[in-house]
Amino acid sequence: MEIRRLTPSEMESAIKLSDKTFRKSHHQSMGRAFPLVFSTYNNLSFGAFHDSKLVSFFGLVPFEINIGNAQVSAFSIGSVCTDPEYRGKGIASAILEKIYQYIDEAGASLLFVSGDRGLYLRNNCFHFGARNTFKIDKATYEIENGESEIVRKGTLGDLFSVFRLRQKKNVRYETSVSEWLTLLKAGGYTSIFNMQQEVYVMEEKGEITAYVVAGIPKENSMKTEPIITEWGGEPSNVKSILESLYIEFKAFEIKVPWHDDLNKELQKDYEFHSIRNGGTIHIVKARRLINQILPYLADKLPRVTEKLSVEFEDIRELKLNYKGESITLTHKEFIETLFSPEDKGFPNLFPIPLPSTEGMEYV
């Protein structure tokens, strides 16, 4: 069995295996829905080959994540599939080991995984963080459709205005305007439910002040309510767009990361409950992650770079030092300390915010 990265000519085999595993006849192809996974130009995905036949595939996509003034280097894996004849032979675990080695060499500190099955939980991937789920089940005021305030479907003419609002988000995946447009058209996460991804905007006196990206139900969709994948701009105007979608499609949910300002706006009128983030996360190197998030922490506390460090780490545990205090943590406890809003370890420093794992960048 040969395990390695795929060549461009082998990508079509990966698409066919993924479509066979995840798609039905009325779905669009995985190759179209996840262009970053199946790109033939800059592909980093791994596979296992038996007699030159691709029998197992792991999509692998790199991201830079902006957290305030910090940039965290991360990868995401998804579209993971194995030919039924080759399952249960430890092939996926062997590929994952190769991926761990590669992303470490590449300088990444985090790996996001779209799943949480035993394969990942056995290999130091853990649930992480939290988000609030709101049910939009009413419109608290009537949307005005006049010259001063309009909610409408976005057009390509709105692209740069919308993208500038996106770039103002304090926590986000770093991307170019062309990459963002590609992901918008591809509709990766919403394609799972056979939905069409669209952007809606709030326009006030000719200026775009907020936007919402949503998967919209169509014929043969697996859901009848919209799926919200991204938003930006003034929170009160984002709320107005959501309520306009309610008027058209009736009740639906939106999952908002715990740190997002939209929480405060929605809490005024809508009930919510807290759930963990989708998928799991793997820490590539704890010391590297701490170093990469230091610029964000430095904006919160002066001289934090001199006071926070990882003393040692191995496959089982690590020691986190801050202001003369030390705590020894397993990797699971380290993830809870860093990303869970309910964890009490070093409360002046943590938790660290992360962007949604089920948004437009979903892999």
Side-chain angles (χ1 to χ4, degrees), residues 288-303:
R288 183 184 297 156
L289 175 59
I290 290 296
N291 288 337
Q292 289 182 359
I293 63 174
L294 280 176
Y296 166 78
L297 296 175
D299 287 339
K300 298 172 62 177
L301 294 170
R303 302 185 66 180

Side-chain angles (χ1 to χ4, degrees), residues 23 28-36 38 182-183 185-189 191-192 360 362:
R23 293 316 207 202
Q28 67 169 317
S29 169
M30 293 283 286
R32 176 178 173 81
F34 296 97
L36 300 185
F38 297 100
T182 297
L183 294 175
K185 295 298 184 181
Y189 183 70
S191 76
I192 297 172
M360 288 175 57
Y362 175 86

Side-chain angles (χ1 to χ4, degrees), residues 303-319:
R303 302 185 66 180
V304 68
T305 56
E306 304 171 12
K307 303 172 183 177
L308 180 65
S309 66
V310 174
E311 183 176 334
F312 74 89
E313 61 177 305
D314 59 28
I315 195 171
R316 297 177 303 277
E317 61 184 19
L318 56 92
K319 181 177 287 187

Side-chain angles (χ1 to χ4, degrees), residues 8 11 35-45 60-62 179:
M11 198 50 61
L36 300 185
V37 174
F38 297 100
S39 168
T40 58
Y41 297 102
N42 54 2
N43 192 273
L44 300 176
S45 298
L60 184 66
V61 179
E179 289 170 334

Side-chain angles (χ1 to χ4, degrees), residues 161-223:
S161 295
V162 169
F163 189 74
R164 278 192 286 270
L165 291 177
R166 179 193 184 275
Q167 295 303 94
K168 292 180 180 179
K169 294 172 72 74
N170 197 43
V171 181
R172 67 183 187 277
Y173 290 92
E174 188 59 66
T175 186
S176 69
V177 63
S178 59
E179 289 170 334
W180 188 86
L181 180 59
T182 297
L183 294 175
L184 174 67
K185 295 298 184 181
Y189 183 70
T190 61
S191 76
I192 297 172
F193 308 97
N194 198 33
M195 304 175 86
Q196 179 68 42
Q197 190 163 252
E198 302 282 359
V199 60
Y200 293 81
V201 300
M202 166 72 83
E203 182 178 338
E204 294 184 285
K205 298 180 180 179
E207 179 182 355
I208 304 300
T209 58
Y211 75 94
V212 169
V213 179
I216 301 302
K218 59 180 183 179
E219 186 178 0
N220 294 325
S221 290
M222 299 166 65
K223 287 181 175 289

